[in-house]
């Protein structure tokens, strides 16, 4: 059930950095099989801030990004980047767009600096910019080493340095934290947030939601090459209509209902009968669907079950995501 | 496009395989010159004495039996069936001379064209390899995708790569041909015959070298095209080698009539200004047998030029088509 474009249909039409409509791509594999990678994607990325582009493995994130960058030809649909139709007018906007698609790929036997110099020359950027971006990405002293000797984190930083050569208004990062350690992940996250705060637009694709949730202002969730939901993080989570409360039962040990495990079982029965969804996890019960957390306390107290802890749990993007993509999986492809 | 070609040229020059390839070509050229000197060198005192001794034995033998040998040979010749070589070829009527026992002296105008043709093979092979690796490596490493996010106009990217490969090989070819021409001349001037090297001879040789420079540049560009089509340096080299061995070697060897449509002969015709080739001509003879003779044929310079031009245009166009429609992933 797609819930699309709630953010961008607010008051007035905010400027869009990226807009795709009915975008389609079918790959033909060597053995003649057809793989529908993107099927009718409508994506809207507002100008400014970080936009998370979420979807499980194989949902068509990389393919969509490649199409936007003119690397892969779309079968149907339209794409606009900063109000220019791409790939037709890509040469006009490419100077404003920096992108890293999948793993960073440079000439392996050239140094990081040499790689950047060639790119700077190709776009006519001043050579001095190379030193600056190397410093900005803290690659300064390793710049003269061969690219193939870099660690994954350094490769990723070099790729970011390369995109900064253009001083881009839109940055597209495809799974930038793939394979990085926690420190590396945090560094990339901070870089993205910094870029977003400078007023640039960052589109970051990922299948790791926790990570995007922390930096993204807005998100789009796709599955099987189609948009499932989009909007601000709050909207997407709120739109799922869930409030979860975490409950601990603490009745006297001589309760007629028996030991704590039996009490939890009884509580589950009572709450389920009231139409709520209950899931047991350790000594806690997670209760979904209550309009008010106090409802839970009241219903249990009526049956002489006393609640010692009651914590409302914010629904996270992860569960929304799983819910959305699970529906999609069951519904199959149209 | 000009800026982009400049960048590509800088990348070409910075590549290790380019440097190794060029160093290899220069080394082989130097070795060829040493071999030339070795071949053209007059015989040593020792060899000369041996030749003299052999000559003297032969001369003495001729003095004693020469008349008899001639008479017997002429009788044999008369009984041989037609067709046959002229009698002067079949029977020796003069006594031996010392020259027959000595090494013939190298003549610059005769040695040089072969030398230049050999140099062209070397250069075109190296240029193809360097060009194939220059473009193929970008596809195998995936860096082409990154490059295209900086310059998405594919035809410019394509053109700049081929142009850089071609331009980059020109100075290499010029240096190699200059080394061969000047080096061989100096060597033969010392130990052979350079007299009779007229302005026209020099003109022809320079023109030949000039055509060699041109095909070297084209070879580098076509190497780039094949590298792009196959996406790997090794695949491009493998296909080129396979073609040379299978098509040029095996097919060309068995079906000699096919030669005018193979690359090598057309290449020779372009470099040497006409090339000769031989085809077997087998026919039943009057006495019911089967006789074969070899016919010498000429492939014209124009044929070679057209052939190479068409092959180049077709390959470059094919590469452009494939690259412009290829998904880069
Ligand atoms: N070059 C290709 N040839 C054939 N099929 C492809 C190709 N590239 C991608 N696909 C298929 O298209 C679909 C979408 O792939 P894509 O790489 O866009 O997904 P993704 O969302 O980026 O996944 P991940 O999170 O794993 O990176 C997948 O089913 C994939 O197998
Ligand atoms: Mg991907």
């Amino acid at each position: 059930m797609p819930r699309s474009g709630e953010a961008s249909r607010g008051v007035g039409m905010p400027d869009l950095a990226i807009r795709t409509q009915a975008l389609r791509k079918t790959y033909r594999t060597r053995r003649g099989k057809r793989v529908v990678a993107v099927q009718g994607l409508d994506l809207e990325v507002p100008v400014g801030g970080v936009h998370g582009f979420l979807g499980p493995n194989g949902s068509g994130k990389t393919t969509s990004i490649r199409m936007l960058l003119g690397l892969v030809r779309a079968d149907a649909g339209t794409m606009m980047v900063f109000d220019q139709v791409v790939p037709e007018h890509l040469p006009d906007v490419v100077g404003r767009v920096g992108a890293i698609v999948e793993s960073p790929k440079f000439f392996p036997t050239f140094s990081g600096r040499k790689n950047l110099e060639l790119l700077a020359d190709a776009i006519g950027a001043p050579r001095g910019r190379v030193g600056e971006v190397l410093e900005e990405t803290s690659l300064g002293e390793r710049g003269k080493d061969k690219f193939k000797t870099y660690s994954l984190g350094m490769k990723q930083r070099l790729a970011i340095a390369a995109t900064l050569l253009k001083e881009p208004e839109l940055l597209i990062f495809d799974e930038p934290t793939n394979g990085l350690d926690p420190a590396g992940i945090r560094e990339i996250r901070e870089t993205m947030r910094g870029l977003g705060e400078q007023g640039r637009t960052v589109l970051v694709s990922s299948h790791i939601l926790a990570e995007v949730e922390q930096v993204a202002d807005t998100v789009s969730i796709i599955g099987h090459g189609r948009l499932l939901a989009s909007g601000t993080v709050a909207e997407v989570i709120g739109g799922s209509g869930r409030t979860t409360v975490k409950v601990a039962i603490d009745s006297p040990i001589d309760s007629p209902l028996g030991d704590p495990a039996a009490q939890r079982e009884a509580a589950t029965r009572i709450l389920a009968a009231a139409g709520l969804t209950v899931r047991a996890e350790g000594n806690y019960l997670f209760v979904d669907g209550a309009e008010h957390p106090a409802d839970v306390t009241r219903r249990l107290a009526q049956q002489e079950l006393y609640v010692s802890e009651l914590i409302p749990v914010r629904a996270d993007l992860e569960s929304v995501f799983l819910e959305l993509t699970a529906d999609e999986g069951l519904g199959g492809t149209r | 496009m000009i800026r982009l070609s400049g960048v590509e040229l800088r990348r070409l020059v910075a590549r290790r395989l380019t440097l190794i390839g060029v160093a290899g070509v220069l080394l082989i050229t130097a070795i060829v010159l040493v071999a030339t000197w070795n071949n053209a060198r007059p015989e040593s005192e020792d060899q000369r004495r041996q030749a003299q001794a052999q000559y003297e034995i032969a001369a003495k033998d001729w003095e004693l039996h020469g008349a008899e040998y001639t008479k017997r040979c002429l009788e044999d010749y008369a009984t041989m069936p037609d067709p046959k070589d002229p009698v002067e070829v079949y029977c020796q009527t003069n006594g031996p001379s010392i020259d027959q026992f000595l090494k013939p002296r190298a003549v610059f105008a005769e040695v040089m064209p072969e030398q230049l043709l050999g140099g062209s093979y070397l250069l075109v092979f190296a240029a193809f390899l360097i060009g194939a690796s220059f473009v193929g490596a970008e596809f195998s490493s995936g860096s082409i995708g990154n490059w295209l996010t900086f310059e998405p106009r594919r035809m410019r990217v394509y053109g700049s790569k081929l142009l850089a490969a071609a331009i980059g090989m020109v100075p290499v070819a010029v240096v190699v041909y200059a080394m061969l021409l000047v080096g061989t001349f100096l060597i033969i001037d010392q130990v052979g015959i350079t007299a009779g090297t007229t302005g026209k001879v020099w003109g022809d040789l320079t023109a030949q070298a000039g055509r060699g420079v041109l095909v070297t540049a084209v070879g580098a560009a076509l190497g780039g095209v094949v590298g792009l089509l196959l996406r790997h340096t090794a695949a491009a080299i493998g296909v080129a080698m396979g073609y040379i061995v299978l098509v040029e070697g095996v097919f060309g060897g068995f079906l000699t009539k096919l030669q005018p449509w193979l690359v090598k002969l057309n290449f020779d015709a372009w470099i040497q200004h006409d090339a000769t080739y031989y085809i077997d001509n087998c026919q039943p003879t009057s006495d019911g047998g089967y006789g074969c003779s070899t016919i010498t044929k000429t492939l014209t310079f124009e044929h070679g030029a057209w052939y190479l031009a068409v092959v180049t245009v077709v390959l470059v166009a094919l590469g452009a088509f494939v690259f412009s429609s290829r998904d880069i992933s």
Side-chain angles (χ1 to χ4, degrees), chain B residues 40-48 51 101-105:
Chain B
R41 197 160 52 148
E43 45 287 271
S44 64
E45 236 354 88
D46 215 32
Q47 286 167 325
R48 183 175 284 276
F101 295 87
L102 289 172
K103 216 158 133 181
R105 298 191 68 194

Side-chain angles (χ1 to χ4, degrees), chain A residues 25 70-71 73 94 121 166, chain B residues 10 146 149 154 324 327-328:
Chain A
K25 174 69 187 181
L71 296 175
R73 191 183 290 262
V94 77
D121 290 353
K166 300 196 221 183
Chain B
R10 237 165 292 145
N146 189 36
T149 64
R154 296 210 186 169
S324 66
D327 283 349
I328 308 289

Side-chain angles (χ1 to χ4, degrees), chain A residues 269-333:
Chain A
R269 245 181 295 115
I270 292 157
L271 294 171
L276 307 177
T277 323
V278 188
R279 170 166 53 95
E281 228 182 272
N283 293 332
Y284 292 97
L285 295 176
F286 286 83
V287 184
D288 279 347
E291 252 178 50
H292 227 276
D295 288 351
V296 176
T297 327
R298 189 169 41 78
R299 283 179 196 282
L300 293 177
Q302 282 165 4
Q303 306 292 324
E304 303 205 357
L305 281 164
Y306 300 100
V307 171
S308 64
E309 276 181 66
L310 183 89
I311 308 160
V313 184
R314 194 172 60 98
D316 61 350
L317 209 42
E318 187 95 30
S319 47
V320 176
F321 178 75
L322 288 173
E323 184 191 321
L324 285 169
T325 53
D327 285 357
E328 181 66 15
L330 286 173
T333 50

Side-chain angles (χ1 to χ4, degrees), chain A residues 27-29 35-38 55-64 66 102 174-175 178 205-207 222, chain B residues 327 329:
Chain A
Y27 286 112
R28 209 157 298 150
T29 60
V35 180
V36 183
V38 175
N57 289 133
S59 55
K61 302 180 297 292
T62 302
T63 303
S64 306
R66 284 189 196 285
E102 290 190 331
D174 188 17
E175 315 233 3
N178 240 357
S205 90
S206 181
H207 58 268
I222 70 165
Chain B
D327 283 349
S329 52

Side-chain angles (χ1 to χ4, degrees), chain B residues 25 123 168-179 209 212-217:
Chain B
V25 166
L123 278 167
M169 284 309 289
V170 167
V172 179
V174 168
V175 168
V176 166
Y177 285 122
M179 272 171 75
V213 171
L214 198 66
V215 280
T216 304

Side-chain angles (χ1 to χ4, degrees), chain A residues 25-27 30 66 69-73 90-91 94 97 99 101-102 105-110 114-115 117-124 127 146 148 162-163 165-166, chain B residues 3-4 6-8 10-16 134 137-138 140-154 161 231 321 323-329:
Chain A
K25 174 69 187 181
T26 308
Y27 286 112
R30 291 247 162 77
R66 284 189 196 285
L69 296 170
L71 296 175
V72 161
R73 191 183 290 262
L90 195 55
V94 77
V97 182
V101 187
E102 290 190 331
K105 283 163 185 151
F106 291 91
F107 299 111
T109 54
F110 289 172
K114 178 90 195 172
N115 268 298
E117 281 173 359
L118 290 171
L119 289 168
D121 290 353
I123 58 170
R127 277 283 179 97
K146 282 184 183 173
K148 65 177 178 190
T163 64
L165 284 173
K166 300 196 221 183
Chain B
R3 179 169 74 201
L4 219 47
V7 179
E8 293 285 4
R10 237 165 292 145
R11 181 169 75 83
L12 177 70
V13 174
R15 299 194 79 231
R16 202 174 34 178
F134 178 59
E138 288 194 272
S140 50
S141 74
S143 49
I144 185 74
N146 189 36
W147 193 253
L148 287 173
T149 64
F150 281 74
E151 177 48 272
R153 286 168 289 200
R154 296 210 186 169
K161 288 185 194 301
R231 298 189 177 105
F321 172 74
F323 186 47
S324 66
S325 53
R326 179 183 279 176
D327 283 349
I328 308 289
S329 52

